[in-house]
Short mmCIF file of all heavy atoms in Angstrom, two decimals:
data_model
loop_
_atom_site.label_atom_id
_atom_site.label_comp_id
_atom_site.label_asym_id
_atom_site.label_seq_id
_atom_site.Cartn_x
_atom_site.Cartn_y
_atom_site.Cartn_z
N ALA N 22 13.54 7.92 -11.77
CA ALA N 22 12.15 8.29 -11.54
C ALA N 22 11.51 8.58 -12.89
O ALA N 22 12.05 9.36 -13.68
CB ALA N 22 12.06 9.51 -10.64
N GLY N 23 10.36 7.98 -13.14
CA GLY N 23 9.70 8.17 -14.43
C GLY N 23 8.20 7.99 -14.34
O GLY N 23 7.63 7.16 -15.03
N GLY N 24 7.58 8.77 -13.46
CA GLY N 24 6.15 8.63 -13.26
C GLY N 24 5.83 7.62 -12.18
O GLY N 24 6.65 7.37 -11.29
N CYS N 25 4.65 7.05 -12.21
CA CYS N 25 4.24 6.06 -11.21
C CYS N 25 5.28 4.95 -11.11
O CYS N 25 5.66 4.35 -12.11
CB CYS N 25 2.88 5.49 -11.58
SG CYS N 25 2.36 4.14 -10.51
N PHE N 26 5.73 4.67 -9.89
CA PHE N 26 6.81 3.69 -9.74
C PHE N 26 6.38 2.26 -10.02
O PHE N 26 7.21 1.39 -10.21
CB PHE N 26 7.51 3.79 -8.39
CG PHE N 26 6.63 3.97 -7.17
CD1 PHE N 26 5.35 3.44 -7.08
CD2 PHE N 26 7.11 4.67 -6.07
CE1 PHE N 26 4.57 3.59 -5.95
CE2 PHE N 26 6.34 4.84 -4.92
CZ PHE N 26 5.06 4.30 -4.87
N TRP N 27 5.08 1.98 -10.07
CA TRP N 27 4.64 0.62 -10.35
C TRP N 27 5.19 0.11 -11.69
O TRP N 27 5.73 -0.99 -11.77
CB TRP N 27 3.12 0.55 -10.40
CG TRP N 27 2.41 0.86 -9.11
CD1 TRP N 27 2.94 0.84 -7.85
CD2 TRP N 27 1.04 1.23 -8.97
NE1 TRP N 27 1.97 1.19 -6.93
CE2 TRP N 27 0.81 1.43 -7.59
CE3 TRP N 27 -0.01 1.42 -9.87
CZ2 TRP N 27 -0.44 1.80 -7.10
CZ3 TRP N 27 -1.25 1.78 -9.38
CH2 TRP N 27 -1.47 1.97 -8.01
N GLY N 28 5.05 0.92 -12.73
CA GLY N 28 5.49 0.50 -14.05
C GLY N 28 6.99 0.50 -14.22
O GLY N 28 7.56 -0.40 -14.84
N VAL N 29 7.66 1.51 -13.66
CA VAL N 29 9.12 1.57 -13.76
C VAL N 29 9.75 0.39 -13.05
O VAL N 29 10.66 -0.27 -13.56
CB VAL N 29 9.65 2.90 -13.19
CG1 VAL N 29 11.18 2.94 -13.26
CG2 VAL N 29 9.06 4.09 -13.95
N GLN N 30 9.24 0.08 -11.85
CA GLN N 30 9.74 -1.08 -11.13
C GLN N 30 9.51 -2.35 -11.95
O GLN N 30 10.41 -3.20 -12.08
CB GLN N 30 9.03 -1.22 -9.77
CG GLN N 30 9.52 -2.42 -8.96
CD GLN N 30 8.65 -2.73 -7.75
OE1 GLN N 30 7.43 -2.74 -7.84
NE2 GLN N 30 9.29 -2.94 -6.61
N GLY N 31 8.31 -2.48 -12.52
CA GLY N 31 7.99 -3.67 -13.29
C GLY N 31 8.93 -3.87 -14.47
O GLY N 31 9.38 -4.99 -14.74
N VAL N 32 9.24 -2.79 -15.18
CA VAL N 32 10.16 -2.89 -16.32
C VAL N 32 11.51 -3.44 -15.89
O VAL N 32 12.05 -4.37 -16.51
CB VAL N 32 10.33 -1.51 -17.00
CG1 VAL N 32 11.53 -1.52 -17.95
CG2 VAL N 32 9.07 -1.12 -17.76
N PHE N 33 12.07 -2.89 -14.82
CA PHE N 33 13.41 -3.33 -14.43
C PHE N 33 13.40 -4.66 -13.70
O PHE N 33 14.43 -5.35 -13.67
CB PHE N 33 14.09 -2.23 -13.62
CG PHE N 33 14.47 -1.06 -14.48
CD1 PHE N 33 13.76 0.13 -14.43
CD2 PHE N 33 15.51 -1.17 -15.39
CE1 PHE N 33 14.08 1.19 -15.27
CE2 PHE N 33 15.84 -0.12 -16.24
CZ PHE N 33 15.13 1.07 -16.17
N GLN N 34 12.27 -5.07 -13.17
CA GLN N 34 12.18 -6.43 -12.62
C GLN N 34 12.19 -7.48 -13.73
O GLN N 34 12.48 -8.64 -13.47
CB GLN N 34 10.92 -6.57 -11.77
CG GLN N 34 11.01 -5.81 -10.45
CD GLN N 34 9.78 -5.99 -9.58
OE1 GLN N 34 8.66 -6.06 -10.08
NE2 GLN N 34 9.98 -6.06 -8.28
N HIS N 35 11.89 -7.05 -14.95
CA HIS N 35 11.94 -7.95 -16.10
C HIS N 35 13.23 -7.77 -16.90
O HIS N 35 13.33 -8.26 -18.03
CB HIS N 35 10.73 -7.72 -17.01
CG HIS N 35 9.47 -8.38 -16.54
ND1 HIS N 35 9.18 -9.70 -16.80
CD2 HIS N 35 8.43 -7.89 -15.81
CE1 HIS N 35 8.00 -10.01 -16.27
NE2 HIS N 35 7.52 -8.93 -15.66
N THR N 36 14.19 -7.07 -16.34
CA THR N 36 15.45 -6.81 -17.04
C THR N 36 16.56 -7.71 -16.52
O THR N 36 16.83 -7.76 -15.32
CB THR N 36 15.87 -5.33 -16.87
OG1 THR N 36 14.85 -4.48 -17.41
CG2 THR N 36 17.18 -5.05 -17.58
N ALA N 37 17.21 -8.44 -17.40
CA ALA N 37 18.28 -9.35 -17.01
C ALA N 37 19.43 -8.57 -16.39
O ALA N 37 19.80 -7.49 -16.86
CB ALA N 37 18.77 -10.12 -18.23
N GLY N 38 20.00 -9.12 -15.33
CA GLY N 38 21.11 -8.47 -14.65
C GLY N 38 20.68 -7.66 -13.45
O GLY N 38 21.51 -7.30 -12.61
N VAL N 39 19.39 -7.34 -13.35
CA VAL N 39 18.86 -6.62 -12.18
C VAL N 39 18.55 -7.63 -11.09
O VAL N 39 17.79 -8.58 -11.31
CB VAL N 39 17.60 -5.82 -12.56
CG1 VAL N 39 16.94 -5.23 -11.30
CG2 VAL N 39 17.95 -4.71 -13.54
N VAL N 40 19.14 -7.44 -9.93
CA VAL N 40 18.94 -8.38 -8.84
C VAL N 40 17.89 -7.90 -7.84
O VAL N 40 17.40 -8.67 -7.02
CB VAL N 40 20.26 -8.69 -8.10
CG1 VAL N 40 21.27 -9.29 -9.04
CG2 VAL N 40 20.83 -7.44 -7.44
N ASN N 41 17.53 -6.61 -7.92
CA ASN N 41 16.44 -6.08 -7.10
C ASN N 41 16.06 -4.71 -7.63
O ASN N 41 16.92 -3.93 -8.03
CB ASN N 41 16.85 -5.98 -5.63
CG ASN N 41 15.65 -5.92 -4.69
OD1 ASN N 41 14.51 -6.21 -5.09
ND2 ASN N 41 15.88 -5.56 -3.44
N ALA N 42 14.77 -4.42 -7.64
CA ALA N 42 14.26 -3.10 -8.03
C ALA N 42 13.18 -2.74 -7.02
O ALA N 42 12.16 -3.41 -6.94
CB ALA N 42 13.71 -3.12 -9.45
N VAL N 43 13.41 -1.67 -6.27
CA VAL N 43 12.53 -1.31 -5.17
C VAL N 43 11.86 0.03 -5.44
O VAL N 43 12.52 1.01 -5.79
CB VAL N 43 13.33 -1.21 -3.84
CG1 VAL N 43 12.43 -0.77 -2.69
CG2 VAL N 43 13.98 -2.55 -3.52
N SER N 44 10.54 0.08 -5.30
CA SER N 44 9.81 1.34 -5.44
C SER N 44 10.02 2.18 -4.18
O SER N 44 10.06 1.65 -3.07
CB SER N 44 8.31 1.07 -5.62
OG SER N 44 8.04 0.51 -6.88
N GLY N 45 10.13 3.50 -4.37
CA GLY N 45 10.34 4.36 -3.22
C GLY N 45 10.31 5.83 -3.58
O GLY N 45 9.71 6.23 -4.60
#
């Protein structure tokens, strides 16, 4: 958790090796 989940999710969706990143 690091503030608004929109940006945190976006960062990890652009990270190699991540197969899913879900806001919640």
Side-chain angles (χ1 to χ4, degrees):
C25 174
F26 43 31
W27 295 342
V29 178
Q30 181 191 45
V32 166
F33 288 106
Q34 288 182 324
H35 280 277
T36 300
V39 172
V40 300
N41 200 14
V43 177
S44 289

